[in-house]
Amino acid sequence: MVLGLLVSAAVLFRVGLTDTLGALTFGGRVMGVVFLVGALVEVVAAAAAFDHWGKRATRYAGQCVLLGVVVVTVTSLMFLILQWEGGHHAGLFWLWILLVAWSAWALWEVSRQKVWRGIPYPRSFATGVALSALIGSASVAYSAMYIPYVAPPKVPFMVSFGKPTLNAARTSLYVPADFTFRNEGSVSIFVVGTQWSATLWPSTFREKGTGLTRWRDELGDGWDTNTHEDFPSASARLLAAGQITSAGSRLDPGDDASRQVIVEVPLAAEQGRVQLFAGISFIRADRCKLANSYPQSVEYSWDVDSADRKHVWDAPPWLADPGDEFFRYRSRIYRSSEIMNMTQAPDWAAMWWVIPKWREGRPFAPGDTIPFMQVHIARDPDSREVLSEDEQEPYGMKTESASVDQPIALLRRAAEKP
């Protein structure tokens, strides 16, 4: 009897202390306090067990044991159901089964001795316990479920051109690129990854225009169609690329991670367009968090110590072709409460920056590239099994992208205006 009570008390103490000090929501911290109280009740019950099966010097020793056994029964059943529903039948799964089996035996043992007979005003006591549990559950549900539901993140994200300037030789333009990224909501966020790029798309004038066949193919492939402007295949060139803010950054309400960069655009060809593209991905800080080591977790597909930066490993085949270069950030995701961390399988967040090589059919020119970012949550550290969008939703994962383009001629005209 004492062994089972103390094992459960140790579990509740660990969960309660962790959540009281570090749960991501107010409701989670309230539950942490509740579990600490439960652990204290079980320790007192374990001490009372010695008296109940010994001298019985304390009047309510048996009732204390009964209360402790009830706490073990309720909490172990909760842990078992949560882990069973999550499909994670490893870790502490067998401990919950053993505690549930122990609870069945302990309830039979204390009921056989009819220890409840000594409880004064049993109906009032039961009503008070039930009412307290109801009020506590409602408070936790309000802070842990309702408030996150009605307080979605508000993160304005926009891309725009500034006023360009001609260089002294009038051979290129200096074009400001503005990326607006700030947290205007009431919820903190963790940045999983960001990317921006500037790409030059050379074009030629098609005097007769295109017909329905060309429109259909371009629109069907997801491209914009332009009747009199033709973009030759394998002609795009990367002008610049980078990150808007560091991977793993935390943006509290009011924080601004906006950035302006200057992109140099050569004027060798008057015809063409400059495209700015940016993407961001973040998770809600009230639902989960990344490990503190995430910003330093970067891994490269090439040997950083070799002079020729030799390619040493490939990304998963669903992400990139063999030989494509990349770097990756990854981290285990820690959920909002220790209860969920203990009863659910670990998931991993990853941000990949892929730098593809030229192959037949790629839109960029040979020897060039157009990098792209891929962010996801997976069941394993190497991203072999990626979660669906529905499975990622509890983490509040959100990925946004924006783009804007301007003809080179229009940018030059803006630069020449006083």
Side-chain angles (χ1 to χ4, degrees):
M1 184 68 70
V2 172
L3 179 62
L5 288 167
L6 291 180
V7 168
S8 180
V11 173
L12 294 188
F13 179 78
R14 173 189 166 183
V15 173
L17 185 62
T18 302
D19 281 348
T20 299
L21 299 177
L24 302 181
T25 63
F26 174 75
R29 301 205 175 199
V30 170
M31 285 301 298
V33 174
V34 171
F35 279 120
L36 285 178
V37 173
L40 179 61
V41 169
E42 290 177 353
V43 170
V44 172
F50 284 103
D51 183 60
H52 180 70
W53 274 276
K55 298 180 179 180
R56 299 201 176 185
T58 305
R59 181 178 178 181
Y60 296 114
Q63 289 78 4
C64 287
V65 175
L66 173 61
L67 182 59
V69 171
V70 169
V71 172
V72 177
T73 304
V74 172
T75 55
S76 58
L77 275 173
M78 180 191 68
F79 289 138
L80 179 61
I81 292 171
L82 283 173
Q83 192 154 348
W84 179 273
E85 287 296 322
H88 180 50
H89 301 160
L92 298 175
F93 181 72
W94 294 105
L95 176 61
W96 315 138
I97 292 179
L98 289 173
L99 284 175
V100 169
W102 176 91
S103 299
W105 166 80
L107 286 173
W108 173 82
E109 180 65 29
V110 294
S111 63
R112 187 172 63 88
Q113 300 187 29
K114 298 181 174 56
V115 297
W116 61 82
R117 287 182 175 178
I119 300 177
Y121 308 108
R123 291 184 180 179
S124 300
F125 177 79
T127 302
V129 171
L131 186 60
S132 299
L134 181 62
I135 294 174
S137 300
S139 174
V140 171
Y142 174 77
S143 60
M145 298 174 63
Y146 177 73
I147 291 179
Y149 174 76
V150 299
K154 295 179 181 178
V155 185
F157 180 56
M158 294 175 289
V159 179
S160 61
F161 286 97
K163 179 176 171 52
T165 304
L166 280 165
N167 69 343
R170 305 180 71 83
T171 57
S172 62
L173 293 170
Y174 296 119
V175 182
D178 298 313
F179 305 100
T180 303
F181 178 31
R182 57 178 177 267
N183 187 355
E184 293 185 352
S186 59
V187 180
S188 298
I189 61 172
F190 284 107
V191 177
V192 184
T194 62
Q195 181 201 39
W196 69 267
S197 62
T199 308
L200 175 62
W201 295 85
S203 65
T204 57
F205 178 70
R206 188 188 296 115
E207 184 176 357
K208 294 183 178 180
T210 57
L212 177 61
T213 301
R214 180 69 175 264
W215 298 353
R216 180 192 59 197
D217 291 341
E218 290 181 342
L219 293 174
D221 291 338
W223 295 93
D224 296 333
T225 185
N226 296 275
T227 303
H228 295 284
E229 193 173 11
D230 185 33
F231 296 91
S233 60
S235 62
R237 293 192 176 277
L238 180 68
L239 297 175
Q243 299 186 56
I244 300 173
T245 189
S246 302
S249 299
R250 178 185 174 110
L251 295 185
D252 293 320
D255 287 350
D256 193 331
S258 300
R259 186 181 179 194
Q260 182 183 80
V261 298
I262 304 298
V263 179
E264 186 169 4
V265 180
L267 293 175
E270 284 289 335
Q271 189 77 10
R273 293 174 180 251
V274 177
Q275 182 190 51
L276 298 179
F277 173 85
I280 62 170
S281 184
F282 58 85
I283 56 176
R284 294 178 61 128
D286 61 344
R287 295 190 182 181
C288 58
K289 65 178 181 178
L290 303 172
N292 294 333
S293 59
Y294 180 70
Q296 292 80 41
S297 66
V298 60
E299 299 171 288
Y300 302 92
S301 63
W302 59 87
D303 183 0
V304 296
D305 296 324
S306 63
D308 57 352
R309 299 298 190 267
K310 180 181 178 183
H311 180 83
V312 292
W313 61 299
D314 293 330
W318 60 264
L319 177 64
D321 292 324
D324 286 348
E325 303 292 358
F326 64 88
F327 59 87
R328 175 186 69 180
Y329 291 84
R330 66 174 177 174
S331 164
R332 178 181 171 181
I333 295 182
Y334 294 91
R335 295 171 172 86
S336 60
S337 70
E338 185 66 12
I339 301 172
M340 301 304 293
N341 288 328
M342 291 177 64
T343 59
Q344 303 297 304
D347 291 328
W348 297 75
M351 186 274 280
W352 304 74
W353 255 60
V354 180
I355 309 170
K357 292 184 176 180
W358 183 85
R359 290 179 175 82
E360 193 68 35
R362 293 278 169 87
F364 50 85
D368 218 300
T369 188
I370 299 180
F372 65 89
M373 180 182 71
Q374 174 70 33
V375 177
H376 58 260
I377 298 175
R379 298 192 187 280
D380 60 279
D382 295 323
S383 303
R384 293 187 298 270
E385 183 181 357
V386 177
L387 274 62
S388 66
E389 289 187 6
D390 290 340
E391 292 173 317
Q392 296 185 44
E393 195 278 333
Y395 296 111
M397 169 78 82
K398 190 172 184 179
T399 300
E400 297 182 1
S401 62
S403 65
V404 64
D405 66 77
Q406 288 278 4
I408 295 177
L410 191 60
L411 291 172
R412 180 165 188 170
R413 182 179 300 177
E416 290 173 344
K417 286 183 177 180

